[in-house]
Amino acid sequence: MKSTSSKKDLAIIIVNYNTRDLLFNCLKTIKTAEKPPKGIEVIVVDNGSTDDSRKMLKKEFPEVKTILNNKNLGFSKANNQATKIANSKYYLFLNSDTELKKYSLVKPLKYLKTHPKVGAITIKLFLKNGEVDYDNHRNFPTPWVAFTKFSGLSSLFPNSTFFNSYHLGRKNLNSVHAIPVTAGSFIMIPTNIFDRLGGWDENFFFYGEDIDLCFRISASGYKIIYYPKTSALHLRGASSGLRKENSFTASSDRANRLKVAKASTDAWKNFYSKFYQQKYPFWVTGIVVLGINLLGGIRLLKYKMKK
């Protein structure tokens, strides 16, 4: 049994797969960020990296707890592994392609501690080009929400609550407010709530697991808070190797890109069958599944054609 008296305030959990340089920068910013009174623990789960990630961790960050897997077990399973050895009151699930600022840890943690009805919190994330990362500020992918997203209507009408409900158009991104979904790139949650929910659903290999977790948090009666009073940098997509603008920062071969692309399609299917299939008429489900398969096929073809 984990000792309650020796618990840290916060366990920062990072899953790594061939992102040595990203991970190095992320861990450096954790070192310089302000820490909560009872301290933090940092746990890195390496999912079978073939770059120098493990050597770098041992040399540069010997204080970091590590779990070294022989193969890529996926995001959910790796995160769950880390929670088994953590001994903190709160978890921060953080992507290796993020860089924290001075108050990225203490401000959202203080909010969580003083708001017991909040089940999870995130902060404002910025992309490399200075734009806000809207994937951290989302709605659940109902059939209508998904249609407006993939048809391009959400991009055509970014300030519309009707056509851009996916990214919650018209919400003030400078004010603290509740949101349905945040991304797994930065999500802080009390350990007691996370454990009560059963952790991450390991049926999601990569993508969709954050939507699933947020759905279960909301269904349990807790709020998810978008907290823009502090921020962090997010090199979105760099850790998956699917975004060309960040391809130089991480090593991802063709086989892995195809695996990740397929996982994104499977995630939509898993989420829809788990929460929405019984909610909507069969013909709606048929259209949704057809759309998912079509978009997934296009995505896989795109990456098969790349060298």
Side-chain angles (χ1 to χ4, degrees):
M1 183 179 292
K2 298 175 183 177
S3 171
T4 55
S5 60
S6 61
K7 278 182 180 289
K8 301 286 188 182
D9 269 323
L10 184 67
I12 302 174
I13 296 171
I14 304 169
V15 177
N16 176 67
Y17 179 71
N18 287 338
T19 63
R20 179 199 180 281
D21 293 339
L22 293 168
L23 180 61
F24 177 84
N25 291 335
C26 178
L27 292 173
K28 289 289 284 186
T29 63
I30 291 173
K31 273 193 170 185
T32 57
E34 187 170 312
K35 310 299 189 298
K38 293 187 178 179
I40 67 170
E41 56 181 332
V42 182
I43 305 170
V44 173
V45 184
D46 186 83
N47 259 340
S49 292
T50 54
D51 61 5
D52 290 332
S53 292
R54 298 184 178 192
K55 187 184 297 184
M56 181 275 293
L57 281 169
K58 187 175 181 179
K59 180 182 178 182
E60 303 290 344
F61 303 96
E63 74 280 4
V64 170
K65 298 179 183 179
T66 57
I67 297 175
L68 307 178
N69 292 324
N70 293 325
K71 62 179 181 178
N72 191 345
L73 300 180
F75 185 78
S76 294
K77 186 171 288 189
N79 274 319
N80 285 341
Q81 281 182 304
T83 64
K84 300 296 189 296
I85 67 168
N87 189 31
S88 295
K89 297 176 182 178
Y90 297 84
Y91 296 136
L92 170 60
F93 298 100
L94 185 70
N95 277 10
S96 64
D97 56 5
T98 55
E99 296 180 14
L100 302 184
K101 296 186 178 180
K102 183 176 181 180
Y103 300 114
S104 298
L105 301 176
V106 293
K107 284 191 174 182
L109 181 58
K110 182 179 179 181
Y111 190 95
L112 264 186
K113 287 181 174 181
T114 54
H115 293 80
K117 294 296 184 181
V118 174
I121 192 169
T122 191
I123 61 176
K124 182 183 283 189
L125 298 182
F126 287 100
L127 304 176
K128 187 178 179 181
N129 63 6
E131 294 180 0
V132 173
D133 182 2
Y134 290 102
D135 283 353
N136 207 39
H137 187 269
R138 287 179 288 167
N139 206 342
F140 293 116
T142 63
W144 172 250
V145 170
F147 172 74
T148 58
K149 162 67 175 173
F150 291 114
S151 67
L153 286 171
S154 59
S155 298
L156 286 174
F157 305 98
N159 295 321
S160 169
T161 54
F162 184 69
F163 289 114
N164 190 22
S165 53
Y166 182 75
H167 283 135
L168 308 173
R170 289 193 178 278
K171 286 281 188 181
N172 184 354
L173 294 180
N174 294 316
S175 67
V176 177
H177 56 270
I179 57 174
V181 178
T182 185
S185 47
F186 187 113
I187 180 167
M188 192 180 289
I189 179 172
T191 57
N192 63 330
I193 293 177
F194 179 85
D195 293 343
R196 199 181 311 145
L197 293 173
W200 297 90
D201 185 339
E202 296 180 9
N203 289 315
F204 293 86
F205 178 82
F206 194 80
Y207 289 125
E209 66 287 310
D210 45 9
I211 305 175
D212 172 87
L213 181 61
C214 289
F215 193 98
R216 289 183 285 130
I217 291 171
S218 296
S220 298
Y222 293 98
K223 293 180 180 179
I224 297 169
I225 293 296
Y226 183 78
Y227 184 88
K229 293 186 178 182
T230 187
S231 64
L233 173 68
H234 184 210
L235 298 171
R236 188 178 65 190
S239 57
S240 69
L242 293 187
R243 290 184 181 269
K244 62 182 180 180
E245 64 267 30
N246 291 318
S247 60
F248 66 92
T249 60
S251 171
S252 182
D253 57 27
R254 182 172 179 270
N256 183 64
R257 290 194 297 268
L258 288 173
K259 186 176 183 179
V260 171
K262 183 179 183 302
S264 68
T265 303
D266 292 341
W268 281 88
K269 291 180 181 177
N270 289 343
F271 183 84
Y272 190 87
S273 63
K274 185 175 180 179
F275 296 114
Y276 288 153
Q277 190 162 338
Q278 303 303 317
K279 185 176 180 180
Y280 293 98
F282 74 92
W283 59 270
V284 173
T285 296
I287 293 173
V288 169
V289 172
L290 179 64
I292 292 171
N293 287 334
L294 178 62
L295 291 168
I298 293 172
R299 173 171 274 194
L300 279 173
L301 181 63
K302 173 184 173 183
Y303 291 106
K304 282 181 179 178
M305 293 175 66
K306 283 188 176 182
K307 292 183 180 180

